[in-house]
Amino acid sequence: MGALGWHRRQLAILGLVGLVVTTFVAYRRVLTGELIGDDLTFHLAEITRMRDCMVVGDWDFWNPSANAGYASAYYYQALPLLVPAGFSALTGVTPLTAFQWCVLLPLVLAGPAAYRAVRVVGGTPWQAIAAAIACVFCVSNSRWGHGADGTFSVGLYTQTWAFAAFPLALAHGTTWIAARRGLVAATGWGLLVGLSHPFAGVALGLALAVGTACSMSARWIAPRMRNLPVLFSGLDRHPEFAPPQFSARALRLAILGALLLLGSASAWLPTLIDYDGFGGFPRRVPDEVGPGLGGLLQMFADGNLLDAGRPRVLTLLLPWALLAGRGPWIGWLWSAALAYVLVLAVGPLLVTADDLFPAVR
């Protein structure tokens, strides 16, 4: 049995390597020229300016020519801008080359990140490789979505950074809250998500908060939900994920939340100090408010939510996953997914004067 398990792991790793190669080949043209996507032009301008500032020791990073006149890295998206700028300054490669690689790598590494995340929470190699494949190919059909569609349609490559790191942040956050291990990893990956794009940080916080509440209720709910095992599968029985004293789990959630809030102060503190300097987003395009419940269900029915115009493989597999899903972490995933559905459903009703937090993000 041990030898069989070893071979299964090796086959899963070979599958993961093949997935990485396939993803690299699919996106290799990113390295051949300037990238298409409205916001990518602004990001490249900001990176070039930041690189020039670093070379001469100017750490103010003010760039009135980019991002509608706001300071570079002001309020959000700090890491995806600083990394290529710093790499270009240190190595002498052109800002465009550094930028190309920083757009490509999150797309290529999203699969391995999902694989590792499932393994962190105790998933089998085959569950992990299935998650990696789904993560790579499930890029939705919305220009505001994660992955390739948002990157090359609108230029949201900073969201792609957050998208790639999100599974690891959720996995380590889950194991810290549920099993009291991995606080440093949970904090580090969570900050990478939040400092790549703040809305992804909000999504992570929502997932962990709802997952914690769901797991804390599992002791009473699970016996009544045996026909829907995916919602609370194993949460009340698995030794590492069994509900402890409610106060202990809630305290660990609060500790992680405080560390993430403190570590991301560079994203939200300037907004509180000088909100008028940021200005919000008073002129959103109409579809950025989100699809609403009807639009979301229609996207799913058309196969565009999970399969993005391809054959409806993931869409058709969803009912099977709902009925057959196993693993102590699955309740955390589906409780978060249901929370996101709720947010997207009410998104069109939440538009404010500055529209700072559009639900579609």
Side-chain angles (χ1 to χ4, degrees), residues 49-75:
R49 174 66 175 179
M50 295 169 81
R51 182 260 183 197
D52 293 342
C53 288
M54 291 178 181
V55 169
V56 299
D58 178 6
W59 303 104
D60 188 34
F61 291 147
W62 184 262
N63 182 7
S65 67
N67 199 24
Y70 306 122
S72 295
Y74 185 62
Y75 172 66

Side-chain angles (χ1 to χ4, degrees), residues 19-35 96-97 99-105 107-108 148 152:
L19 181 65
V20 169
V21 172
T22 301
T23 310
F24 180 86
V25 170
Y27 298 119
R28 67 189 185 283
R29 293 187 63 189
V30 168
L31 304 175
T32 61
E34 189 168 346
L35 304 175
L96 176 59
T97 299
F99 182 50
Q100 289 171 333
W101 279 101
C102 284
V103 172
L104 175 66
L105 285 178
L107 294 167
V108 174
F152 301 118

Side-chain angles (χ1 to χ4, degrees), residues 162-190:
F163 161 61
F166 189 92
L168 284 165
L170 183 58
H172 285 290
T174 298
T175 54
W176 159 249
I177 295 168
R180 201 173 61 182
R181 68 173 189 271
L183 177 60
V184 173
T187 304
W189 287 108

